[in-house]
Amino acid sequence: MLHKAKRSILVMFLLLGIIIIFISCKKEEKVAGPRDKVTIGVAQQVLSAPLIIAAEKGYFADEGLDVTIKNYSFGRVCIEAMLTGEVNLATVAQMPIVMNGFKRDDFSVIAAFAYNYDDSKIVVRKDRIRTGSDLKGKKIGTPFGTSAHFFLDIYMNYSNVPKTSAEVVNILAENLPDAMKNGEVDAISSFEPYAYETLKLLQDKTIRLESIELFKEAFTLVGMKDFIKNHPEALKRVLRSIDRGIAFIKKNKRESIGILTRKLKVDDKFLETAWDGYVFDLSLDHSLLIVMEDQARWAIKNKRTDKAEVPNYLAFFYLDAMKSVKSDAVTIIK
């Protein structure tokens, strides 16, 4: 009996060894060969969380990628960096895609990975403004050609404030807190974390106007068509890495907040209060196309472009990578 027991233990260890070797070989097989080099422009916004987590946790490397992350203050700057050749891929919301789509068609939307109905906010000096209607006759700062700019127009319509009755000025997102502090503007329309930073900087002098959830701000991954054509497998690996980042976020809220707090250099209290408003999910949803067409009509109507017709934004979507990685999340039909 003792001999049989020893033999059983020996067999068990042999099987365990075979399993370990098999797993190791599979892992080596996954990353074998030259790694695809990819440079990604990542907006320093909470909406970029899945990519920030994926890089932090080594998911890109796990997929056999040599990824370089370049940080930019917000999405419009990211896509501009991509269009000038600084990066291969970029994270960006819908509005900068729309505005650049009026001028060129050499880039594509690959996937969406996050959205929020309350990321853009109106922050005001409370000694001058208390409600939306008080925006009339005031000077308002916002980064032109961004989701915050589009949101401001929605908010003014909601508040029955004619666009011509306020002075709207173009200020980079990262400069908005100081613009308020220095008295350059009476109000700002900004996305996070810059809205929160303004409120924190001027705690006793500013308030946030009433929240209106009329706009779904989505963050997407975009790339140049030439890069997409030449690196289809790398794109799939990038998407798998982002999806792993999303899975981590959903299972590890506390650690995710800690990583984002450190990487974005934001107050942890901000993420504690704002976190649940962010939805992280890899998709290519038809609503993305609808919002982009609405924004294009807004841009034409408000003379933000010299074009008179809405571009065919359906042609800007690259579906193959998402169909391969997560086909059930693709509802755009071409």
Side-chain angles (χ1 to χ4, degrees), residues 88-229:
N88 307 128
L89 307 173
T91 66
V92 65
Q94 304 104 310
M95 194 69 213
I97 297 172
V98 167
M99 296 308 296
N100 281 287
F102 280 114
K103 298 174 286 186
R104 54 197 298 170
D105 62 359
D106 56 351
F107 67 96
S108 295
V109 180
I110 300 161
F113 51 81
Y115 68 86
N116 191 319
Y117 281 95
D118 194 37
D119 191 59
S120 291
K121 300 174 177 66
I122 308 293
V123 179
V124 302
R125 297 185 67 92
K126 65 182 182 180
D127 59 335
R128 304 174 190 176
I129 303 169
R130 303 295 295 191
T131 67
S133 60
D134 294 334
L135 292 171
K136 188 181 297 184
K138 301 300 190 296
K139 189 174 183 179
I140 309 167
T142 192
F144 282 8
T146 67
S147 296
H149 188 192
F150 179 66
F151 175 75
L152 174 61
D153 195 74
I154 294 175
Y155 204 97
M156 291 174 71
N157 284 336
Y158 173 80
S159 304
N160 294 315
V161 175
K163 287 183 277 294
T164 55
S165 69
E167 181 185 359
V168 181
V169 294
N170 184 20
I171 301 175
L172 289 173
E174 62 266 36
N175 295 335
L176 288 172
D178 283 339
M180 283 283 278
K181 179 183 178 181
N182 298 333
E184 298 172 30
V185 292
D186 306 301
I188 64 167
S189 177
S190 183
F191 35 74
E192 297 294 7
Y194 305 106
Y196 178 85
E197 288 180 4
T198 304
L199 289 165
K200 183 182 177 183
L201 182 66
L202 301 164
Q203 295 182 34
D204 300 326
K205 298 181 179 180
T206 57
I207 56 172
R208 180 210 170 163
L209 291 187
E210 176 191 4
S211 171
I212 58 166
E213 297 186 358
L214 298 179
F215 169 51
K216 179 181 178 180
E217 183 173 353
F219 240 44
T220 71
L221 184 72
V222 298
M224 300 303 294
K225 287 183 177 179
D226 280 348
F227 181 82
I228 291 170
K229 179 181 178 181

